[in-house]
Amino acid sequence: MEPAGPAVGQVQVWDAEGRSADAAAVRRIADAPTAVWFADAAPGFAERARALVASAAAAGRTPVLVPYYVPQRDCGGHSGGGAPDAGAYRDWIGQLAGAVHGSSALVVLEPDAVTHVLQGCISASAADERYTLLGEAIRAFKADPGVRVYLDGGNPGWVKDVDRVVEALRRAGVAEADGFSLNVANFETTDANIGYGTAISDRLGGAHFVIDTSRNGNGPATTADSGDGHWCNPPGRALGPAPTRETGHDRVDAYLWVKRPGESDGACGEGAPEAGQWWPDYALALATN
């Protein structure tokens, strides 16, 4: 986690305004270990990663990083963007992997990248290139055996055909990773993810996985005013189980807060800011529901 995140600042603002109950609620987010996303090539990104792993080591904690810069990211959706081409991505991954070398970092690699291929929103040639890039990224991080890598595999509410997911993960090089991740930035229940992940794991020889529990306390929305409402800032959601390695399941290596609770999924729904922007009202709802 980064100690100067927006939740920390929000607690300070509301304390100063006398909103002590609201500040105490959002402190549940501010005090929780959350992943740090790397989503662009702005100057200093590698230095930021080095500082993160150094501060985590000093505190005796494990840094969780989320590389999120694959070309044609999010298929042009709310979080669209990514590297301009394969060469730029390879260079970026190389710098990021170098920055965490020698650390105990945990990497959740490219949320949604594999599942978007299955969704068919990029061309066949772009899909082949993406599989290649993801495999190269896994190998770049795993050049250091102390770094653990989990390739993202979507969530149980998205692609329900487990065999398709397994084949895609294989093509992307999951065998060279430490496992796969599920439910990043989504709301599916922990139990649903355990069932889905176990089915994938069975087909991958017992591969381990991690689950994003940051916002799944109430599970997914079942009704919404828009087509995005199931996953994009749905109302009535809640924080999920706290981050821990003690999951009680031998193949589930950790429950993580990968998506930062309180950051918008996109400009969907009344008053919602752009993807990744801090949204105090939504954060407060997550912390109090």
Side-chain angles (χ1 to χ4, degrees):
M1 63 184 290
E2 293 177 303
V8 176
Q10 195 67 59
V11 168
Q12 295 169 346
V13 168
W14 282 347
D15 268 334
E17 293 175 351
R19 296 176 59 177
S20 56
D22 292 345
V26 173
R27 190 174 283 112
R28 295 178 61 199
I29 298 173
D31 291 347
T34 54
V36 178
W37 291 59
F38 292 80
D40 58 46
F45 75 89
E47 289 75 12
R48 178 180 166 225
R50 275 190 285 271
L52 174 67
V53 298
S55 62
R61 307 186 81 166
T62 300
V64 179
L65 296 86
V66 186
Y68 189 54
Y69 193 54
V70 72
Q72 299 186 54
R73 184 181 69 203
D74 200 33
C75 292
H78 291 291
S79 297
D85 54 46
Y89 186 72
R90 289 185 172 103
D91 178 68
W92 185 84
I93 283 289
Q95 292 187 59
L96 197 58
V100 303
H101 184 83
S103 77
S104 61
L106 189 156
V107 175
V108 175
L109 184 62
E110 294 294 349
D112 298 344
V114 167
T115 320
H116 272 141
V117 172
L118 297 179
Q119 195 176 29
C121 59
I122 60 176
S123 68
S125 60
D128 289 341
E129 177 183 83
R130 178 170 294 186
Y131 286 135
T132 297
L133 291 174
L134 291 172
E136 291 175 357
I138 292 168
R139 289 189 290 275
F141 284 110
K142 290 303 297 178
D144 185 329
V147 176
R148 287 172 292 161
V149 181
Y150 295 84
L151 176 63
D152 192 61
N155 67 75
W158 195 349
V159 177
K160 299 182 185 298
D161 186 340
V162 169
D163 290 326
R164 291 186 68 216
V165 176
V166 168
E167 177 58 25
L169 288 172
R170 283 181 175 140
R171 288 188 62 187
V174 72
E176 298 181 80
D178 293 273
F180 56 96
S181 59
L182 294 176
N183 208 46
V184 173
N186 213 273
F187 302 87
E188 301 292 334
T189 66
T190 303
D191 285 347
N193 278 284
I194 290 171
Y196 187 71
T198 300
I200 294 172
S201 173
D202 285 344
R203 292 160 171 79
L204 291 175
H208 287 210
F209 56 102
V210 297
I211 301 170
D212 183 357
T213 59
S214 59
R215 307 184 300 174
N216 72 347
N218 283 345
T222 55
T223 60
D225 294 330
S226 72
D228 290 345
H230 181 80
W231 62 268
C232 197
N233 302 320
R237 302 311 94 205
L239 300 176
T244 181
R245 292 180 179 174
E246 304 300 322
T247 67
H249 297 270
D250 59 358
R251 297 189 203 175
V252 184
D253 288 346
Y255 299 150
L256 304 172
W257 282 14
V258 182
K259 171 71 175 182
R260 295 182 180 189
E263 291 188 355
S264 176
D265 296 318
C268 44
E270 184 176 355
E274 295 296 322
Q277 298 300 304
W278 175 249
W279 189 5
D281 291 344
Y282 200 75
L284 181 60
L286 289 170
T288 55
N289 280 337

